[in-house]
Amino acid sequence: MAKRILLTALTALAVLTIGAQERLTDYVDPYIGSGGHGHVFVGANVPFGMVQLGPSEKSRGWDWTSGYHYSDSVIIGFAHLHLSGTGCGDLGDLAFLPVNDPQQREIKFSHDQETVQPGYYRLKTDDVDVELTATQRVGFHRYTFAQRRGQLLIDLNEGIGDIPLVTDLRQVDETTLEGVRRSRGWAPRQEVYFTVKFNVSVRLWEPLPGLGLVDLYDVRTPLLMKVALSPVSCEKATQNMEAELPGWDFDQTRQAASDAWEQELGRIRIQTPNEQDRRIFYTAMYHLMVAPSVFCDADRQYRGSDGKVYDGDFTNYTTLSLWDTYRAFHPLMTLIYPELQADYAETFIKIFEQQGRLPIWHLWGSETDCMVGSSAVPVLADLVLKGFVRHPERAFEAMKQSQLQDVRSLGLLRQYGYIPYDKEPSNETVAKALEYCLDEDGLARVAKLLGKGSDYEYFLERSQSYKKYFDPELQFMRALGSDGKFRPEFDPIKVIHRADDYTEGNAWQYTWLVPHDVHGLIRLFGGEEPFLRKLDEFFTTEGDMGPEASPDISGFIGQYAHGNEPSHHIIYLYNYAGEPWKAAPKLRYVMRHLYHAAPDGLCGNEDVGQMSAWYILSSLGLYQVEPSGGRFIIGTPLFPRAEVNVGDGRTLVINARNLTDQNIYVQSVRLNGKSYSKTYIDFDQLRQGATLDFQMGPRPSKWGTAVKDRP
């Protein structure tokens, strides 16, 4: 017996030793989501960096919105800006291509010639060995040519779906170039200033407008090139280079980028015997940190939404995919990145001050107005309610004034109390109205917190207008006309992209979009029994949405579509009606079958971190359903143990005891050693650091079913 105990202890020590030596970056697979409809960025960057330096391919359709798709084999340049996981394409600015012939415009490759790791990209062909790494604002290239002489094509015309307006490239001295690219695309106004520094003397000539060709002589040693970016000026780009990358040690810079990723990935440490789960989890963490991207210079100067230059006393951000990210990304970030939240809030408020309303979908300091609703409102409200905002009154005024304008159907909402389909030519009225309801619920909660009684009552009433869309006979949310009657024609399954009453979804999916008032929705159904019956039916109803449906709607369980965001909270609604155990097999199915460690490992667009955030939170056994408020609903944990750094030296520890692939049902929970029966937990309890112990089993239990224990 003593020998067995000693052997067990030595084995445990060995496991701990291996764990201490492992690098979490080894579990990141940047190819996950680069195939299928994932649209993720592939290349070299650092967490939340301005620069995303990587290969760009010629666009061959919707799946090339990030500039790269795993199915392709032709690179047209190594560009310094990319999106990750979006449904629209843009950026792709400043594409550099090493060539042997001035007429060459592409490199053919295969994936076995590539190496992709956090902070590092390499492509080794017969002609050239390309290596890329980055700091926050500087891309660092190392090219090793097979021949003694090579050339470098600099393409300022090429972008992903945009139109170049100004392409200026000039030589400053024998080793330095600088310029600016101004363009119009999804971002209606984009200005990218840059400085390029070589480790050898170069000669620039321009065979065509927007194209530069650099002659390289005697390149027996690797060519090194640093490209610094700025939204303000070439001078600022140069200063960014001096601040972040004054030297020429490529390997040291690569290591620093890898170390930066290692540190950030370590904010959550999981223990699991399942290697695929580990790869999926840490790749999700990696994708989580591509954006929002830093959008200011090293001295915090930035270009505002009005095109003017500002001296900031905060870190300004861009790439704000708020319609996607208010659901899981931002709630997760409040847990693991508390130090960033005040700057997020200040970014939103400054955008309001500069463009007159809060951001909708902001890209490079420019408003795209993409997607419905005012999704900055629930994010900002959540930050106020969680205590992250430096000036709550300013935040409240920004939210209030944004919602009292006549833009984006808000005037119709104020006039009618809902948005009539026959008065709104761009349609999608049900989706718009339901999003505005949950937005303004957050605004009402902030008004109550600040003691603004009349504002609270006004916006609370507006947040309840979702009830007008509910058809009690058919039990669906339906479009209303100006006469107060439902649209006569109705199909709960069929979808016509951008031309019907919903946004990237159907009536089945949007009927549940009342995350701010789930019990009010339950009452509309006539109580918990019919609500649960309809919810069960949602996950079993089959039906083809038709050829005109958006490809975003994917990853199905019945009519549940995990590949698109409106469905993301729905499984957790079982907790509100006293049957939390019904969520467990559905959550486990999504985590096991709709996320894979493969290029097509995402069932839909990554959407700037939202798909990954859902997985991370859900695998921990938590999810914030109410967009503004801070309650996290308890689901089913995927890992035996997780340690979450919640800041200020505090740790949230989550243990799942007796966990197996069959034991997916929560039998009991203990919080800090005491029995805990609620199926939700407040943010403040998690933020203080805590230990959650789940006892798991193979069959549903009565845990969390009592009325007093429901959220």
Side-chain angles (χ1 to χ4, degrees):
M1 174 65 87
K3 183 177 180 181
R4 183 183 302 171
I5 293 173
L6 177 60
L7 181 61
T8 302
L10 289 173
T11 302
L13 179 60
V15 170
L16 287 173
T17 303
I18 293 170
Q21 293 174 345
E22 72 178 2
R23 283 184 67 86
L24 300 178
T25 51
D26 292 339
Y27 296 106
V28 174
D29 181 356
Y31 282 136
I32 293 176
S34 67
H37 298 321
H39 299 185
V40 302
F41 162 66
V42 173
N45 64 334
V46 295
F48 310 114
M50 180 186 293
V51 167
Q52 301 92 33
L53 174 58
S56 285
E57 302 162 343
K58 197 72 175 177
S59 178
R60 305 180 195 278
W62 181 64
D63 282 327
W64 276 258
T65 58
S66 75
Y68 183 99
H69 194 267
Y70 192 81
S71 64
D72 211 334
S73 59
V74 180
I75 290 170
I76 59 173
F78 298 97
H80 290 75
L81 294 174
H82 291 90
L83 292 166
S84 185
T86 57
C88 290
D90 205 328
L91 305 184
D93 298 71
L94 311 184
F96 290 70
L97 188 72
V99 297
N100 292 321
D101 181 337
Q103 304 304 315
Q104 183 181 345
R105 294 292 184 268
E106 63 185 35
I107 295 175
K108 294 183 179 179
F109 76 103
S110 62
H111 295 299
D112 60 11
Q113 296 173 298
E114 287 184 305
T115 301
V116 192
Q117 299 165 351
Y120 178 68
Y121 175 90
R122 183 180 187 181
L123 178 68
K124 185 173 176 55
T125 71
D126 292 339
D127 297 324
V128 63
D129 186 359
V130 176
E131 296 177 275
L132 310 174
T133 190
T135 65
Q136 278 203 336
R137 300 169 180 86
V138 186
F140 201 179
H141 305 236
R142 181 163 68 184
Y143 299 140
T144 305
F145 290 86
Q147 305 298 323
R148 287 187 57 177
R149 181 170 179 173
Q151 292 168 320
L152 186 68
L153 183 68
I154 304 174
D155 191 345
L156 302 188
N157 294 319
E158 190 64 47
I160 302 170
D162 69 356
I163 300 171
L165 304 176
V166 174
T167 56
D168 180 27
L169 177 64
R170 54 193 175 271
Q171 185 151 6
V172 178
D173 57 41
E174 63 180 12
T175 62
T176 309
L177 311 178
E178 67 177 22
V180 61
R181 183 180 192 266
R182 296 190 181 97
S183 62
R184 181 179 69 246
W186 188 22
R189 187 198 71 250
Q190 185 194 0
E191 296 184 44
V192 184
Y193 296 87
F194 59 92
T195 296
V196 185
K197 195 80 173 175
F198 295 89
N199 69 330
V200 297
S201 297
V202 299
R203 181 173 68 88
L204 171 69
W205 58 287
E206 297 181 74
L208 292 170
L211 285 180
L213 196 64
V214 175
D215 279 323
L216 305 168
Y217 300 98
D218 195 20
V219 287
R220 287 172 295 181
T221 58
L223 171 72
L224 298 176
M225 179 179 68
K226 300 183 292 188
V227 183
L229 305 187
S230 167
V232 173
S233 68
C234 294
E235 179 185 9
K236 288 295 181 180
T238 300
Q239 292 175 10
N240 290 340
M241 187 184 297
E242 292 169 350
E244 293 184 4
L245 194 57
W248 290 96
D249 192 329
F250 184 92
D251 292 325
Q252 184 183 63
T253 306
R254 173 190 172 185
Q255 186 62 50
S258 178
D259 290 345
W261 281 111
E262 185 69 22
Q263 179 175 334
E264 304 311 316
L265 294 171
R267 289 180 182 249
I268 304 179
R269 293 189 175 272
I270 61 170
Q271 293 180 11
T272 175
N274 189 313
E275 288 299 299
Q276 174 159 294
D277 285 349
R278 194 186 301 267
R279 288 179 64 199
I280 293 170
F281 183 87
Y282 282 110
T283 304
M285 288 286 288
Y286 170 75
H287 286 149
L288 190 76
M289 302 172 199
V290 175
S293 305
V294 167
F295 189 63
C296 60
D297 292 317
D299 63 359
R300 291 186 165 184
Q301 196 171 78
Y302 68 98
R303 189 172 298 277
S305 300
D306 54 4
K308 299 177 182 178
V309 175
Y310 292 88
D311 292 320
D313 59 356
F314 67 104
T315 299
N316 190 50
Y317 287 91
T318 190
T319 317
L320 304 175
S321 181
L322 295 163
W323 182 84
D324 305 291
T325 56
Y326 82 78
R327 305 167 199 264
F329 175 90
H330 281 286
L332 173 58
M333 294 297 279
T334 63
L335 270 181
I336 65 174
Y337 274 103
E339 71 274 20
L340 298 185
Q341 304 313 307
D343 284 347
Y344 284 172
E346 193 65 17
T347 296
F348 293 177
I349 294 169
K350 289 297 186 183
I351 290 173
F352 165 75
E353 293 173 355
Q354 293 156 9
Q355 72 176 24
R357 55 194 172 100
L358 285 168
I360 302 298
W361 209 124
H362 238 245
L363 180 58
W364 261 77
S366 187
E367 183 59 75
T368 71
D369 268 315
C370 187
M371 306 310 294
V372 298
S374 300
S375 299
V377 172
V379 175
L380 190 53
D382 195 44
L383 295 181
V384 172
L385 295 167
K386 289 176 178 176
F388 287 116
V389 180
R390 300 184 186 103
H391 306 289
E393 289 283 349
R394 287 175 61 221
F396 173 77
E397 283 303 315
M399 291 186 284
K400 177 181 176 180
Q401 296 307 320
S402 294
Q403 293 307 102
L404 293 179
Q405 298 182 18
D406 288 340
V407 299
R408 296 171 56 85
S409 305
L410 284 168
L412 289 172
L413 179 61
R414 186 167 60 253
Q415 179 181 352
Y416 287 90
Y418 60 95
I419 305 174
Y421 69 83
D422 53 345
K423 298 293 184 180
E424 173 49 272
S426 64
N427 220 332
E428 301 180 289
T429 58
V430 178
K432 291 174 181 177
L434 295 178
E435 293 284 356
Y436 283 141
C437 286
L438 68 88
D439 299 339
E440 295 185 358
D441 172 79
L443 180 48
R445 294 184 191 213
V446 173
K448 185 177 182 180
L449 177 72
L450 299 179
K452 301 179 183 294
S454 59
D455 287 323
Y456 167 71
E457 294 293 341
Y458 176 73
F459 287 108
L460 179 65
E461 181 180 0
R462 283 186 28 155
S463 76
Q464 296 290 301
S465 64
Y466 73 86
K467 297 173 182 177
K468 299 176 182 179
Y469 291 87
F470 187 78
D471 181 344
E473 181 179 351
L474 297 182
Q475 293 189 324
F476 286 107
M477 296 288 181
R478 296 182 55 189
L480 283 169
S482 56
D483 59 1
K485 297 180 180 179
F486 292 116
R487 186 195 289 272
E489 61 275 13
F490 177 69
D491 187 324
I493 295 179
K494 286 290 188 292
V495 174
I496 302 176
H497 185 49
R498 296 279 190 262
D500 57 21
D501 302 321
Y502 312 94
T503 299
E504 298 179 8
N506 61 20
W508 268 111
Q509 291 141 20
Y510 270 90
T511 293
W512 314 101
L513 192 61
V514 191
H516 62 291
D517 187 21
V518 180
H519 290 291
L521 180 63
I522 291 172
R523 288 190 289 272
L524 288 181
F525 275 96
E528 291 177 352
E529 186 176 339
F531 174 85
L532 288 166
R533 189 163 55 245
K534 189 77 169 185
L535 192 55
D536 288 342
E537 189 181 351
F538 172 65
F539 289 102
T540 58
T541 297
E542 301 294 334
D544 184 358
M545 290 188 295
E548 297 182 80
S550 168
D552 291 56
I553 314 171
S554 54
F556 287 97
I557 308 175
Q559 288 302 301
Y560 176 89
H562 191 72
N564 207 27
E565 281 66 27
S567 288
H568 276 189
H569 69 290
I570 299 176
I571 298 176
Y572 290 93
L573 298 183
Y574 281 110
N575 288 45
Y576 290 78
E579 293 187 348
W581 55 270
K582 281 188 176 179
K586 297 173 179 63
L587 290 170
R588 186 57 60 91
Y589 179 88
V590 173
M591 288 185 272
R592 280 275 185 255
H593 298 282
L594 299 182
Y595 292 84
H596 304 282
D600 63 347
L602 296 173
C603 63
N605 301 163
E606 167 61 25
D607 282 318
V608 198
Q610 169 60 24
M611 286 287 284
S612 290
W614 188 97
Y615 180 88
I616 293 166
L617 276 174
S618 295
S619 68
L620 297 176
L622 301 168
Y623 195 85
Q624 183 175 310
V625 169
E626 298 156 65
S628 308
R631 289 195 299 190
F632 283 76
I633 308 306
I634 293 175
T636 178
L638 187 62
F639 310 120
R641 183 178 175 88
E643 297 177 3
V644 184
N645 181 346
V646 294
D648 297 324
R650 300 166 181 163
T651 303
L652 168 65
V653 178
I654 300 172
N655 295 310
R657 307 187 189 282
N658 199 33
L659 179 69
T660 66
D661 286 342
Q662 292 72 42
N663 294 359
I664 63 173
Y665 297 99
V666 177
Q667 307 295 299
S668 63
V669 177
R670 301 185 74 82
L671 175 62
N672 296 329
K674 298 180 180 179
S675 180
Y676 189 81
S677 59
K678 293 180 172 59
T679 63
Y680 65 92
I681 184 168
D682 289 330
F683 172 76
D684 285 341
Q685 293 174 283
L686 301 175
R687 186 182 185 182
Q688 295 304 312
T691 298
L692 269 174
D693 287 298
F694 292 88
Q695 188 67 32
M696 309 300 292
R699 289 176 293 278
S701 71
K702 293 294 184 180
W703 173 82
T705 58
V707 173
K708 66 180 179 62
D709 294 325
R710 302 171 193 175

